[in-house]
Structures are given as C-alpha cells and as structure tokens.
Amino acid sequence: MAEQPLHEHTLGNGLRVVVCEDHVVPLAAVNIWYGVGSRHERAGRTGLAHLFEHLMFQGSANVAEGEHAALLESAGATFNASTSFERTNYYETVPVSHLELALWLEADRMGTLPAALTQANLDNQRDVVKNERRQRYDNQPYGTAFERLCALTFPAGHPYAHTPIGSMEDLDATTLEDCTDFFATWYAPGNAVLSIVGDVDPEDTLAAVERYFGGLPAGPQAPGARPGDLGPLDGVRGEEVDEEVPSPAYFAMFPLPSDGGNDIEAAELAVEILGGGSGSRLYDRMVRRDQIATEVWAGVTRLAGGPSLAIVDAVGPDVDKIAAVLDEELARFAADGPDADETARATAQAERGFFEQTETVTGLANALSANATQFGDPARVFTAPKRAAAVTADDITEMAGRWLAPGARTVLTYGGAK
C-alpha cells in the first residue's frame, strides 16, 4: 500500500484526530484508542481496564442501556472493542451515511459515561468478565499459559507482570468509585486518538468531529505509566503446571526489544524464521525430522512501553526432548544466523502482514490510531514494509544472539519435567 494523505488535527481539548480518504467502498471506519491498558492499573485493581471496556457499552447520559449497540446494529454497522497491556480501543465501521451517528455515540460516552454508571451495571458486567475469564482462560487447556509466563518473566509489581483479564479477587473488590475515578483519570480527550478512514470528505469530517467532540472538557492530564524496562533474561526459570491437558506441552517466553526502534524489526524476523509456521526451523526439526512434537509455533507481541515478548509453544509427548532441541536450534541460529532464502521469506511475511493489517478501512483506522498513540506519528504505519526490508541477516543474527539465547527464557511445562 502506498502512503495515503492524512489530515491531522488536534481539538482544543486535546483530542488528536486523523482522517484518511478511501473511496473504494461507501464505508467509514471510526476508531478511538485511549492510552490506558493493564499496565496502567494499580495493585489490587487488576482487570479494571478490561472491565471498563465492557462498561463503555452500558449507556451514557443520552444513550440508554443497550441502546449503543442497538443503534449501531440498526445502521448496519460492525463494532467492537479490545483491551491490551497498553491501550483500550473502540471501533465501528458504518455506511458513510451513518458516520455522524458513530461520532455522536463515541462523543457521548467519552463525555458523559459516569451518568450511566450504576451498581447494577457494574455487577452485571463484572459477572460477564468473570465468566469470560472462566471460559477463555481458567477452563481452557493451556488457557493461563500466557498469564503464567508473564508472572514468571517480570518481577512482582512490574506493570507487565499481570495481563488485562485481571484476577477474580481484584474484580470482586472493584467498586463503583473505582470505576468513576478510572474514567476521570484515563478517559479524557487528551488521552485519546480518533481515526476516521473511508469514503469521507476530510474538511466535512473534521468539522463534524469538532461539532461532537469539541465541547467536551479537556479533563486532567493522564499520569505517566510506571517504567517497564526489562533486558534479556540471564537464565531459565521454569514452572510445571499440574493440570489436565490433552497432551504434554512446552511454552517459553523471551523478552525482546521494545517496539518503535530498529531492533524489534530484526528480532521479530528472527522469531519468524525460527518458529513462524510450517516452513520454520523449529517446525522442520521438531515435527518433520525428529517427530518429537505434533505442532510448534512462535510469535511476537509488540509492546512500546516495555519489552516486546516472543512466545514459543510446542505440543509433544516428551517436553525434555523439546527443550533440548530448542536449545540446540537457538544456539545454531545465534552462531550461524539465517540464510538468504530465510531472510527473504521472513521479510515477505512481514510485508504480507502489513497488507493484511491495512487492506480494509477498519484495519487501516486501527493502525493509524496505534501509531499516533504509541509513537506520535500515524503515517509511520506506511513505513512498516520498508523497515522490515532494511533488516540484514547480520542484524537478525545479532538480535538472536542477544535476546533468543538458549539460557534466556521462562518456561511452562504441562505433563512433563521442566
């Protein structure tokens, strides 16, 4: 995708706005990123950012409970929200004729949500989140693996040591006052980016944004998040999980460089070569050749305020053999690096990922909000293929030797010894 012209504007209350024309289909994507996620939560109130994502659909001063979703559905919109370590986003894609409805709904809950916050809403949505935790994490085979690995990888109290789902105990302890304080602290216009992509006129769209959002009070400046730095690990820390699972499995986590610099580009390509699908080194060695695993996968979670994270998971009957082969392949890769074909394939995969991320108005709006929120530059999204293509085999080798060394990971094993 070639770089597309962006129209950027900051309202008087601090809301950053990005508009991008795309006249292929008569749709408009509205995407808001708030700079708050689980890393901003305080001890004893984990899960509040994700809980709040649910509360944002329970009405506002001028929208009754359940009416937000009903209005969007009647307009033919698709919509959702998500929470991560570093942000919460809300998004809807509507026929362009209903763009102003989407803007009005987002502005009303940004400005007036506390008017609809009730104990009944809190109790209801707390139960929804707790049930989500049971279904997706606690009662799923390997469902708590990522959560457990984060707790092993990061020191106690570190902002990334807990995941967005939070704990049952903290969810139970959350009060209505906690929610109103959380909204007042983090849901101000100055802590948000609004991106609009689609069959729109930029001047008219910016005028509509000013009309709906411009009168909202600026609110307090959001406090800074605690530092999240963490370098490569200096050993292997492990935990055996005593759970009923379909098959023994081995999970490993490696800190990586933070997103935003050149190092993460090389590190992610290294992970792709090692474990990114059936053409990867780990799959070839563990599944095809040695037949010690039935499946192997590796991937990266990019984080801007702390270390990014690489995950390797392998399912197979002998986790000790898996661990030994992983050490061998990591050592070989750090010593010899990738060959030219591996580097080219990984770079092509990165380019494909960029096109998949931005090929729809919905995806592009989210990518613009992400880059504006985390790096202050929405247009940075268009340089992703160029950044990946600039990485050399030597860069990948150096990153692997520093961040993916055999003795630098945390480990979970299911159904076998560490």
Side-chain angles (χ1 to χ4, degrees), residues 3-340:
E3 182 168 348
Q4 297 172 246
L6 302 181
H7 304 266
E8 300 179 56
H9 180 63
T10 301
L11 303 189
N13 56 20
L15 178 67
R16 291 167 290 172
V17 186
V18 183
V19 179
C20 181
E21 295 177 83
D22 186 327
H23 300 292
V24 175
V25 291
L27 297 174
V30 176
N31 185 290
I32 295 186
W33 271 47
Y34 290 92
V36 58
S38 59
R39 73 172 297 220
H40 302 90
E41 295 165 349
R42 62 184 176 87
R45 291 298 182 270
T46 65
L48 189 52
H50 177 234
L51 173 62
F52 216 84
E53 170 204 323
H54 286 254
L55 291 171
M56 283 283 277
F57 286 95
Q58 296 306 297
S60 46
N62 301 295
V63 179
E65 182 179 352
E67 193 175 15
H68 186 107
L71 286 169
L72 288 172
E73 287 169 353
S74 68
T78 58
F79 58 96
N80 213 327
S82 67
T83 308
S84 76
F85 286 105
E86 301 184 320
R87 55 69 184 157
T88 307
N89 69 335
Y90 302 85
Y91 52 96
E92 47 270 319
T93 298
V94 297
V96 71
S97 56
H98 293 287
L99 172 60
E100 293 207 22
L101 170 65
L103 294 176
W104 175 74
L105 287 169
E106 291 293 358
D108 200 62
R109 63 181 176 182
M110 178 185 282
T112 70
L113 187 93
L117 273 177
T118 66
Q119 188 64 48
N121 280 343
L122 171 58
D123 292 343
N124 176 269
Q125 293 307 302
R126 175 171 30 218
D127 287 344
V128 169
V129 172
K130 289 169 67 175
N131 193 49
E132 179 182 344
R133 179 179 174 96
R134 293 185 192 99
Q135 291 183 342
R136 294 178 56 190
Y137 299 87
D138 297 338
N139 297 330
Q140 277 287 333
Y142 323 113
T144 59
F146 186 76
E147 182 178 46
R148 291 172 181 271
L149 283 169
C150 287
L152 277 175
T153 301
F154 296 101
H158 190 280
Y160 293 91
H162 72 277
T163 57
I165 193 64
S167 73
M168 290 289 199
E169 295 77 14
D170 288 354
L171 288 168
D172 283 335
T174 297
T175 66
L176 200 59
E177 183 179 6
D178 292 328
C179 295
T180 55
D181 288 347
F182 192 85
F183 179 86
T185 302
W186 299 108
Y187 275 78
N191 196 39
V193 171
L194 168 64
S195 294
I196 302 165
V197 177
D199 188 20
V200 299
D201 176 88
E203 186 175 338
D204 291 346
T205 302
L206 288 172
V209 171
E210 182 68 54
R211 191 158 59 248
Y212 292 112
F213 290 86
L216 302 182
Q221 182 174 351
R226 291 170 291 142
D229 296 341
L230 186 74
L233 300 179
D234 57 4
V236 177
R237 298 197 295 273
E239 177 182 302
E240 184 175 354
V241 183
D242 184 17
E243 289 181 0
E244 290 291 330
V245 291
S247 175
Y250 182 96
F251 290 81
M253 177 176 280
F254 303 77
L256 293 179
S258 299
D259 199 2
N262 294 329
D263 286 351
I264 185 57
E265 308 296 339
E268 185 159 18
L269 292 182
V271 173
E272 173 67 27
I273 293 167
L274 281 165
S278 59
S280 67
R281 289 190 175 198
L282 293 178
Y283 191 95
D284 182 64
R285 175 74 189 276
M286 293 185 184
V287 179
R288 288 198 183 95
R289 292 162 50 196
D290 292 4
Q291 298 183 355
I292 59 173
T294 57
E295 57 185 88
V296 180
W297 174 87
V300 171
T301 298
R302 289 200 183 202
L303 298 171
S308 299
L309 300 170
I311 301 286
V312 176
D313 68 72
V315 176
D318 192 328
V319 293
D320 291 333
K321 287 183 179 178
I322 288 173
V325 169
L326 178 61
D327 280 342
E328 291 175 20
E329 291 300 319
L330 292 176
R332 185 167 71 92
F333 192 63
D336 301 334
D339 61 33

